[in-house]
Amino acid sequence: MSRRPAVLGGPPLLADPLPMTRPTIVADDELFGHFGAIFDSGMLTNGPAVAEFERQVAAYLRVDDVIAVSSCTTGLMLVLRCLSASGSVILPSFTFMASGHAVRWNDLRPRFADCEPDTFTLDPQAVRNCSGDDVSVVLGVHTFGVPSDADELAQAAAARGAELIFDAAHGLGGRYRDGTRIGSKGLAEVFSLSPTKALSTGEGGLIATNDPGLAAELRLARNYGNPGDYDSRMIGLNARMTELAAAIGLRNLPLLDATLDRRRRLAGRYAETLATLPVRLQRVPDGTTPVYKDFTVLVTDEEFGLSRDQLAAALAAEGVSTRTYFDPPLHRQRAYTESAAQLPVTEMITRKCLTLPLYSHMPFDLVDRVCEAMALAYAHRHEIAATMGDER
Ligand SMILES: *Cc1c(COP(=O)(O)O)cnc(C)c1O
C-alpha cells in the first residue's frame, strides 16, 4: 500500500467527513398532507394519529398493547413506576445512561451486572450471581440491536422473584430466536424513536406489553395520572407523544422492514470486508434477527497493534467518524460513583469497543472506504503506534 495514512501526514481518504449516523426519515407529500390535516383539526395531542400508530405498531409486533410516549427514557420511568417496583434493579452497566436514570428517578437502586463478552448483552449467569435480596426487577438491553437471551433472562429473573423488562431502545424490528419480534418478551419492552435509532419520529418512545393491567396504568401515567376528571390517581408525567410525531411514525413504519434489510446488508458488507483484519465483530446469536442499530467491533492492542483510541484517531484523520459507546460505562459515570461493581467484561468491552458508521441509506461503497481506512491504519500500525506514543 503506497498511500500514507492521514494521521501520518497523507491526504485524507474522504474529503467530506463521513458521519457515524444520520436519521433516515421519509418526509413527502403524503406526510405533509397528514401534518396539514392535524393542524386543521386543531388536535396536536391526544388525537387519532397516536391511537392509529399504537394500533399499527401492536399489529407489527404482534403484541396486545402499545403505548406511545415522549421518549424511551420516560417510557422506562413509567414502566418502573407502574410496576410499583421497590428495592433494587439489576441492569447492565454497558448501556446508555437512560437505562440507569429511569431506575434512579424512581428512587430504586441500580445493581450493575456484567454482560456477555461476545454479544455485549446482559449475562443471565451474572443476573443469577448478582448480590442483593431486594431485587424486584431485571432490566435487559438489546445492545446495538442484538436480541438478548430473553428466555434465559426470564428464568434468571424468576429465580430471584423479579419481573423482567427490557430497554429495547435499539431493538425495533428485530426478532428473537423463536421468530417473535423484540417487544413480545418480559412484562414490557420499551423502544426509542430518537434520531439515532432505525425508526425515528424526532423524539418518541413506544412501550409494548401483553399485560392489560399494566397497559391501562401506563396510559394513565403518561397523562399526569389524570383519567380525564382532573382527579389524579397517581403521580404521573406528561409523557405523551404528539400527533405530528405519530404521523411521522405512521408514514415510516411500513418502510421499516426494508430499512432493516438494508442495514443487515450493510453490516454483511462490513463483516465480509473486515474478515481480513484482526478485529472481532459483535456476535449475533444463531437464529435471531438483529437490527444493527450500530455496527460495533472490538479492537485489541495485542491483535490489531493499535489501541481502540489510536485506531479511532487514525480513522478520524481519514474523515471517518466513529463512537466509543458506552465509555465510560454507567458504574463509572460521575452520577453513579456510589456503585463499586466489579465488572471485568464490561471494563474490557468499554475499552475496546468501536462503533463504525452505519445508517440506513448509507451507500455500500462508503462501507468499503471505512474498511479501506481501517486496512490502511493496520498496514501502518507500527508507525502510527510509535507516533502516538502512550496515547492509549
Ligand atoms: C437512545 C437510548 C435510550 C433513550 O432513548 P430516548 O428515546 O432518547 O429517551 C435508552 N436506552 C438506550 C440503550 C438507548 O440507546
Side-chain angles (χ1 to χ4, degrees):
M1 224 178 279
S2 57
R3 195 185 177 99
R4 275 203 67 71
V7 74
L8 297 177
L13 209 55
L14 295 172
D16 294 326
L18 173 64
M20 219 283 302
T21 184
R22 44 174 60 157
T24 302
I25 301 178
V26 169
D28 56 4
D29 286 345
E30 184 182 330
L31 177 59
F32 297 142
H34 196 174
F35 279 177
I38 290 168
F39 286 119
D40 288 344
S41 76
M43 279 190 92
L44 296 177
T45 189
N46 280 334
V50 166
E52 177 61 16
F53 186 41
E54 290 176 336
R55 202 190 56 72
Q56 289 194 15
V57 175
Y60 175 82
L61 298 176
R62 295 178 189 271
V63 298
D64 292 344
D65 234 310
V66 166
I67 300 95
V69 283
S70 55
S71 71
C72 177
T73 308
T74 55
L76 288 168
M77 285 165 61
L78 293 180
V79 167
L80 289 169
R81 175 62 58 107
C82 292
L83 286 178
S84 301
S86 63
S88 60
V89 176
I90 295 178
L91 75 161
S93 175
F94 188 69
T95 180
F96 185 62
M97 58 191 74
S99 316
H101 289 5
V103 172
R104 293 280 302 268
W105 267 91
N106 279 286
D107 284 330
L108 298 166
R109 175 174 172 194
R111 289 186 189 271
F112 295 115
D114 228 340
C115 48
E116 300 177 339
D118 50 0
T119 66
F120 312 160
T121 57
L122 183 60
D123 183 349
Q125 196 53 46
V127 170
R128 289 195 173 89
N129 297 344
C130 191
S131 64
D133 51 14
D134 64 343
V135 176
S136 62
V137 176
V138 172
L139 173 60
V141 180
H142 307 301
T143 316
F144 305 136
V146 167
S148 310
D149 192 339
D151 298 335
E152 281 292 316
L153 286 174
Q155 284 183 21
R160 309 191 62 121
E163 299 286 1
L164 175 66
I165 64 173
F166 287 99
D167 176 339
H170 301 175
L172 190 63
R175 287 182 191 273
Y176 292 110
R177 206 186 330 252
D178 62 9
T180 59
R181 296 256 191 214
I182 290 177
S184 59
K185 305 260 183 186
L187 200 52
E189 301 208 43
V190 187
F191 300 98
S192 171
L193 304 173
S194 70
T196 62
K197 313 304 199 268
L199 176 69
S200 179
T201 56
E203 299 284 0
L206 296 163
I207 307 169
T209 183
N210 288 317
D211 185 309
L214 178 61
E217 282 271 297
L218 286 166
R219 286 185 194 287
L220 191 60
R222 74 165 169 194
N223 193 43
Y224 320 97
N226 172 20
D229 60 5
Y230 292 83
D231 178 7
S232 60
R233 309 299 202 273
M234 64 183 297
I235 307 300
L237 284 178
N238 177 356
R240 297 184 305 238
M241 177 179 283
T242 71
E243 289 287 282
L244 297 170
I248 300 172
L250 281 167
R251 178 68 189 91
N252 283 272
L253 179 65
L255 313 173
L256 179 60
D257 279 342
T259 297
L260 297 184
D261 225 51
R262 192 154 197 292
R263 294 180 88 91
R264 285 190 279 271
R265 282 189 290 123
L266 288 163
R269 179 84 151 231
Y270 264 128
E272 226 170 83
T273 317
L274 291 178
T276 56
L277 291 177
V279 294
R280 289 174 203 219
L281 311 186
Q282 183 185 16
R283 185 172 73 84
V284 176
D286 285 345
T288 67
T289 309
V291 170
Y292 288 110
K293 196 292 248 182
D294 291 299
F295 188 84
T296 302
V297 298
L298 281 183
V299 181
T300 69
D301 264 311
E302 308 80 65
E303 290 167 351
F304 200 87
L306 293 173
S307 71
R308 184 270 313 270
D309 292 337
Q310 289 174 334
L311 176 59
L315 292 176
E318 303 293 353
V320 175
S321 311
T322 58
R323 281 209 196 143
T324 54
Y325 291 128
F326 296 101
D327 188 8
L330 263 63
H331 75 285
R332 284 204 278 104
Q333 293 183 15
R334 276 178 269 189
Y336 289 86
T337 45
E338 84 284 2
S339 165
Q342 294 292 309
L343 305 167
V345 177
T346 298
E347 299 284 353
M348 181 277 289
I349 294 173
T350 48
R351 254 181 297 122
K352 300 180 174 177
C353 228
L354 189 66
T355 298
L356 304 178
L358 191 147
Y359 48 91
S360 305
H361 60 283
M362 182 175 177
F364 283 87
D365 67 291
L366 283 179
V367 171
D368 298 342
R369 293 288 85 70
V370 174
C371 297
E372 199 180 327
M374 289 177 70
L376 192 62
Y378 181 64
H380 292 82
R381 60 192 178 280
H382 302 301
E383 217 182 325
I384 293 173
T387 309
M388 292 191 174
D390 282 337
E391 194 188 306
R392 54 173 75 181

